[in-house]
């Protein structure tokens, strides 16, 4: 087993997982935009943010974020219907899409890092959403555009310190306001 | 003879998509019943005569593995085939499901053809 994954490798894993899920379930091909490594919390955003926790010997968080319009578009493609607002169905669809994408990410990471677990996704909608990484770990960001809608996928993970509490799922917390 | 199918997934979106795939599949399909977790599935199984179950693994309250164990412990339900539809690729949870008696699994994301192919052998 490897002991680490580089940011470049993490970006490639995020890209492959996103392509697989979007092309299979939504019938759309995401266009890749410049990714990056973030060492400080991202600027506050508004729209929809899905978070999923990584647990096991490696702990962290994956997120998918985009505007309310992007969320309505993705849910519309997923469920083959149009949405005028971000309602319960849109939130559920975004949660399931993030579950599939990060399920794929998990499978690819496990090939190199060993077994991991994923939490059930949490989806937050609103303004001024800030995601902070406890311990200030770097985030790998992969960006996409899908039919005019920008999406960003982030992942932040590290090997769990032996003294850490095993049940501590998420290495980041959403901060509202 | 038409077979009634139970879809178990905490995502309403996935239940809706699977329901649509079932309606489009060229299989003798009867009623399609939905449940959001294992507990609700067990309640529905008391009310309906189900011939096939499509179930997620990771769900709140009672997950797919717990549901499978509960089904295999009941004489009147243990023969009902259960197909796991899950993001858990080749993980230990899938292996556990197969060991518990799952009839097969489909990995998310899935195509309609993959679901149909799995159903054709079971219905």
């Amino acid at each position: 087993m490897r002991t680490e994954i580089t940011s470049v490798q993490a970006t490639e894993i995020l890209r492959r997982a996103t392509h697989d899920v979007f092309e299979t379930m939504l019938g759309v091909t995401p266009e890749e935009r410049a990714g990056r490594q973030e060492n400080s919390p991202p600027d506050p955003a508004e729209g929809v943010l899905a978070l999923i926790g990584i647990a096991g010997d490696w702990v962290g968080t994956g997120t998918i974020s985009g505007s309310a319009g992007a969320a309505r578009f993705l849910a519309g493609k997923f469920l083959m219907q149009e949405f005028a607002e971000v309602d319960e169905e849109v939130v559920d669809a975004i949660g399931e899409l993030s579950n599939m994408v990060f399920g794929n990410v998990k499978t690819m990471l496990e090939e190199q890092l060993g077994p991991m677990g994923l939490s059930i996704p949490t989806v937050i909608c609103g303004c001024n959403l800030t995601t902070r990484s406890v311990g200030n770990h770097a985030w790998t960001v992969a960006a996409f555009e899908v039919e005019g809608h920008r999406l960003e996928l982030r992942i932040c993970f590290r090997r769990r310190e032996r003294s850490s509490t095993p049940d501590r799922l998420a290495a980041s917390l959403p901060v509202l306001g | 003879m038409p077979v009634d199918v139970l879809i178990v997934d905490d995502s309403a979106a996935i239940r809706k998509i699977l329901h649509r795939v079932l309606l489009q599949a060229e299989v003798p399909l009867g009623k399609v019943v939905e449940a959001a977790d294992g507990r609700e599935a067990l309640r529905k199984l008391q009310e309906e005569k189900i011939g096939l179950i499509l179930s997620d693994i990771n769900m709140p309250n009672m997950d797919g593995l717990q549901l499978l164990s509960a089904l295999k412990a009941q004489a009147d339900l243990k023969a009902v085939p259960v197909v796991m539809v899950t993001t858990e690729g080749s993980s230990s949870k899938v292996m556990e499901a197969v060991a518990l008696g799952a009839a097969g699994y489909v990995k998310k994301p899935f195509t309609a053809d993959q679901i149909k192919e799995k159903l054709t052998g079971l219905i």
Side-chain angles (χ1 to χ4, degrees):
Chain A
M1 289 292 166
R2 298 170 63 113
T3 55
E4 64 179 277
I5 293 277
T6 66
S7 177
V8 171
Q9 290 167 323
T11 303
E12 180 56 26
I13 285 172
L14 287 174
R15 286 181 173 154
R16 282 168 52 196
T18 305
H19 275 277
D20 185 21
V21 172
F22 281 35
E23 287 166 10
T24 305
M25 300 304 298
L26 309 181
V28 297
T29 301
E31 295 172 26
E32 289 166 23
R33 296 291 179 259
R36 61 189 182 276
Q37 178 90 5
E38 286 179 347
N39 293 307
S40 57
D43 292 336
E46 63 178 72
V48 176
L49 174 68
L51 298 115
I52 194 158
I54 299 165
D57 283 343
W58 291 79
V59 293
T61 304
T63 75
I64 296 180
S65 60
S67 66
R72 288 190 287 110
F73 170 80
L74 294 178
K77 286 287 183 186
F78 197 36
L79 295 172
M80 294 184 180
Q81 67 186 86
E82 290 189 4
F83 293 97
E85 59 186 350
V86 178
D87 60 13
E88 195 64 33
E89 275 192 284
V90 172
V91 168
D92 181 73
I94 297 301
E96 186 53 35
L97 281 173
S98 65
N99 187 40
M100 285 191 198
V101 170
F102 283 101
N104 258 16
V105 168
K106 169 184 169 280
T107 300
M108 287 186 259
L109 288 175
E110 282 179 327
E111 289 168 5
Q112 302 185 52
L113 302 176
M116 294 178 176
L118 284 184
S119 72
I120 289 170
T122 298
V123 182
I124 303 166
C125 314
C127 301
N128 246 1
L129 302 173
T130 306
T131 312
R132 288 186 194 155
S133 169
V134 175
N136 199 28
H137 294 279
W139 291 85
T140 296
V141 184
F144 300 93
E145 196 163 307
V146 187
E147 298 189 21
H149 299 283
R150 186 178 172 86
L151 296 169
E152 291 197 342
L153 280 83
R154 288 181 167 76
I155 191 165
C156 165
F157 64 103
R158 61 182 168 83
R159 183 180 284 281
R160 180 167 59 86
E161 292 166 19
R162 289 294 163 199
S163 58
S164 298
T165 305
D167 290 335
R168 189 170 155 183
L169 272 177
S172 71
L173 296 169
V175 181
L176 304 179
Chain B
M1 185 172 179
V3 172
D4 291 348
V5 177
L6 173 62
I7 300 170
V8 192
D9 200 303
D10 55 325
S11 165
I14 287 294
R15 296 199 303 271
K16 197 169 189 173
I17 289 166
L18 284 173
H19 197 146
R20 188 170 61 223
V21 168
L22 287 172
L23 293 174
Q24 292 167 348
E26 292 167 359
V27 292
L29 187 69
K31 192 190 304 180
V32 179
V33 180
E34 298 181 15
D37 58 38
R39 276 189 211 162
E40 189 181 357
L42 290 175
R43 282 199 300 274
K44 293 279 171 79
L45 285 160
Q46 302 300 317
E47 302 162 5
E48 311 280 351
K49 180 79 176 166
I50 297 296
L52 173 70
I53 299 171
L54 300 178
S55 177
D56 190 12
I57 290 182
N58 295 320
M59 295 180 288
N61 301 321
M62 177 187 270
D63 70 23
L65 297 178
Q66 292 169 315
L67 170 63
L68 201 48
S69 296
L71 294 174
K72 297 303 173 187
Q74 295 187 43
D76 56 336
L77 295 175
K78 66 181 178 186
V80 178
V82 183
V83 175
M84 314 310 292
V85 183
T86 176
T87 55
E88 299 285 345
S90 55
S91 76
S92 57
K93 286 189 179 178
V94 168
M95 299 303 114
E96 192 178 342
V98 172
L100 283 169
Y105 72 92
V106 177
K107 188 180 179 309
K108 297 176 187 173
F110 53 78
T111 63
D113 285 344
Q114 287 170 331
I115 298 288
K116 288 175 195 171
E117 185 185 329
K118 195 62 73 177
L119 294 181
T120 304
L122 295 169
I123 295 183

